[in-house]
């Protein structure tokens, strides 16, 4: 149920493509905060931490610990197949249900549940996508029925298929005309699922770990979790350790994985940048009277590609410069692992407000999916409210949470980069990476606090 006083903004949210799931903070509240002091303090904190870590004789050990070792309760094939059935149900709802994105579980569950709740949960409790991945179980069953055991050589492509998949997804999410239309989203999701399913059946389920962008992205983000499960056959081990302990146990990233991670960072950056008044002025748009997504498709496409290209130049370039300055242990593959923390922190900060807004609609729809007064979740009459978005007591707390997510991510990245650089690396070699981390911190916090459309 929706309060009458919210009818007008709700209709606006539902009818304007891309606005319904906006994740910007209201400038009227945030611009009254001393955000410049926040940004300056964060930059100095990151710089000082990097300096101390570079000269410190010892750094935290990041050792994981075994909590318990028990049999697997639900086989992955079964949980994955249940996820597949849920996916089919969402497709059906997307095609036959309401075209209002706020009243259709296809858009609500995907954009709020899959795209926000799953990665946020994975940052704390390990890879939550793995058991519900809708491909694993069906692919195993299909290969078993077909008697297929071989591959077609897709492994030689590395992470290139995931790069292409995520690039297409980022364009669809940020630039296409109807990313929130339930029927359009269902059609795109069905086509993508079919392509990945056929390729995985031909190559093998292990290919999903490098070829399917959601599996790759959520697996990367989950590496910073302080709690995680390690499944080996029919045994499951619950592990605990400092955030980033799993990162230090990873193999260096392959070149195609570096390209993928740079794309993730670039997409998150551009998703915040293209809503700012600064970007609107750059492309000749009046932020107070936007002409709509269709008018800026090509310029925003070029903008996304440009930010990706800059990221591809900046990150490897700073690693190379650090090696020139005396970082014999500086290598791109290992050091890029530290940026997993930044990708996770940015994802959490960027989509927090979207979770608090669209998440209310998701709960309401799950509680009463047919809008007939049912209460499947046992919730009382559910009222969606956006009042907190203009509350000067609450919005600073939300900005504070986003601030801590970005600052914490960069501090963790600094510590991880020092560990990954190895012993014997000169302190001077860390200077370029430190400058990059400080700049990224400033950029991320500015994007959260500057005036924007939507």
């Amino acid at each position: 149920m929706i309060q009458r006083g919210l009818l007008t903004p709700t209709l606006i949210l539902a009818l304007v493509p891309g606005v319904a799931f906006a994740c910007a903070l209201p400038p009227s509240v945030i611009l009254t905060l001393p955000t410049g002091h926040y940004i300056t303090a964060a930059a100095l904190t990151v710089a000082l931490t990097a300096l101390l870590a570079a000269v410190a004789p010892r750094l935290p050990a990041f050792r994981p610990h075994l909590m318990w070792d028990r049999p697997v309760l639900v086989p992955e094939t079964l949980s994955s197949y249940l996820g597949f059935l849920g996916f089919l149900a969402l497709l059906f709802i997307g095609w036959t249900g309401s075209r209002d994105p706020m009243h259709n579980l296809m858009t609500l569950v995907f954009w709020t549940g899959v795209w926000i709740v799953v990665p946020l949960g994975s940052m704390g409790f390990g890879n939550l996508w793995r058991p519900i991945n809708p491909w694993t179980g069906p692919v195993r069953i299909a290969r078993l029925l077909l008697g297929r055991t071989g591959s077609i050589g897709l492994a030689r492509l590395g992470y290139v298929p995931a790069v292409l998949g995520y690039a297409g997804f980022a364009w669809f999410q940020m630039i296409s005309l109807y990313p929130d239309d339930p029927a359009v989203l269902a059609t795109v999701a069905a086509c993508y699922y079919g392509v990945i399913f056929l390729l995985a059946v031909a190559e093998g389920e292990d290919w999903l770990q490098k070829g399917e962008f959601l599996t790759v992205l959520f697996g990367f983000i989950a590496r910073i979790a302080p709690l995680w499960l390690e499944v080996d056959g029919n045994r499951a081990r619950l592990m605990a350790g400092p955030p980033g302990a799993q990162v230090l146990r990873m193999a260096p990233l392959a070149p195609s994985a570096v390209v993928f991670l740079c794309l993730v960072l670039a997409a998150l950056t551009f998703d915040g940048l293209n809503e700012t008044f600064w970007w609107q002025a750059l492309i000749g748009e009046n932020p107070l009277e936007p002409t709509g997504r269709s008018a800026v498709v090509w310029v925003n496409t070029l903008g996304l590609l440009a930010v990706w290209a800059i990221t591809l130049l900046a990150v490897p370039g700073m690693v190379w410069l650090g090696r020139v300055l005396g970082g014999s242990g500086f290598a791109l593959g290992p050091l890029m692992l530290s940026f997993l923390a930044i990708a996770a922190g940015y994802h959490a900060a960027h989509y927090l407000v979207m979770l608090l807004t669209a998440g209310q609609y998701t709960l309401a729809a799950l509680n009463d999916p047919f809008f007939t007064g049912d209460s499947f979740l046992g919730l009382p009459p559910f009222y969606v409210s956006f009042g907190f978005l203009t509350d000067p007591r609450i919005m600073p707390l939300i900005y504070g949470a986003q601030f801590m997510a970005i600052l914490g991510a960069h501090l963790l990245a600094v510590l991880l980069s020092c560990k990954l650089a190895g012993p014997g690396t000169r302190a001077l070699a860390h200077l370029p990476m430190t400058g990059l981390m400080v700049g990224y911190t400033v950029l991320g916090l500015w994007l959260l606090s500057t005036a924007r459309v939507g």
Side-chain angles (χ1 to χ4, degrees), residues 54 104 124 237 422:
N104 191 295
R237 294 187 295 272

Side-chain angles (χ1 to χ4, degrees), residues 136-148 197 201:
T136 306
V139 167
R140 287 179 181 175
I141 294 171
R143 284 176 64 88
L144 180 63
L145 293 176
L146 295 173
R148 181 163 183 79
F197 176 77
V201 169

Side-chain angles (χ1 to χ4, degrees), residues 90 108-119 129 132 214 218:
L90 290 177
L108 292 170
V109 170
F110 180 79
W111 290 117
T112 307
V114 174
W115 190 238
I116 302 180
V117 174
V118 170
W129 175 251
I132 63 172
L214 289 173
F218 295 162

Side-chain angles (χ1 to χ4, degrees), residues 216-385:
V216 176
L217 175 62
F218 295 162
F220 278 173
I221 286 177
R223 294 289 187 164
I224 71 162
L227 294 172
W228 67 94
L229 275 179
E230 293 184 354
V231 180
D232 183 12
N234 63 346
R235 304 295 298 182
R237 294 187 295 272
L238 178 63
M239 307 295 293
Q246 297 178 83
V247 174
L248 297 178
R249 301 166 66 194
M250 293 176 65
L253 294 183
S256 57
V258 171
V259 174
F260 179 86
L261 186 53
C262 286
L263 174 59
V264 172
L265 296 172
L268 287 167
T269 300
F270 186 74
D271 198 15
L273 180 66
N274 72 347
E275 297 174 342
T276 64
F277 279 26
W278 181 87
W279 176 258
Q280 295 298 308
L282 183 65
I283 63 177
E285 284 284 300
N286 182 350
L288 301 179
E289 296 180 1
T291 55
R293 292 172 75 107
S294 60
V296 294
V297 166
W298 289 108
V299 69
N300 278 346
T301 300
L302 293 175
L304 175 60
L305 293 175
V307 173
W308 186 14
I310 291 171
T311 307
L312 281 170
L313 290 174
V315 178
M318 292 302 100
V319 174
W320 173 81
L321 186 56
R323 189 176 182 88
V324 170
L325 293 176
S328 59
F330 268 46
L332 183 60
L335 282 174
M336 277 301 297
L337 292 171
S338 64
F339 283 86
L340 297 180
I342 296 178
Y346 271 58
H347 195 97
H350 188 69
Y351 291 108
L352 176 59
V353 174
M354 179 175 163
L355 175 63
L356 297 176
T357 52
Q360 296 182 65
Y361 280 99
T362 305
L363 280 177
L366 291 172
N367 191 51
D368 184 12
F370 305 106
F371 301 98
T372 57
D374 295 319
S375 182
F376 291 117
L377 300 181
L379 298 175
F382 198 95
Y383 291 91
V384 174
S385 173

Side-chain angles (χ1 to χ4, degrees), residues 113-130:
V114 174
W115 190 238
I116 302 180
V117 174
V118 170
L120 285 180
S122 297
M123 294 175 201
F125 305 102
N127 193 347
L128 302 183
W129 175 251
R130 179 173 178 174

Side-chain angles (χ1 to χ4, degrees), residues 373-449:
D374 295 319
S375 182
F376 291 117
L377 300 181
L379 298 175
F382 198 95
Y383 291 91
V384 174
S385 173
F386 293 98
F388 70 93
L389 292 176
T390 56
D391 192 323
R393 298 167 300 176
I394 296 178
M395 290 311 299
L397 297 178
I398 294 177
Y399 180 74
Q402 294 177 305
F403 171 83
M404 291 305 300
I406 288 183
L407 177 58
H410 280 90
L411 293 179
L412 178 58
V414 164
L415 293 176
L416 291 175
S417 66
C418 289
K419 293 282 288 187
L420 292 164
T425 302
R426 295 175 58 188
L428 183 63
H430 292 278
L431 184 60
M433 282 286 285
T434 299
L436 180 63
M437 295 287 188
V438 171
Y440 230 129
T441 303
V442 171
L443 175 62
L445 292 174
W446 176 79
L447 289 175
L448 289 174
S449 61

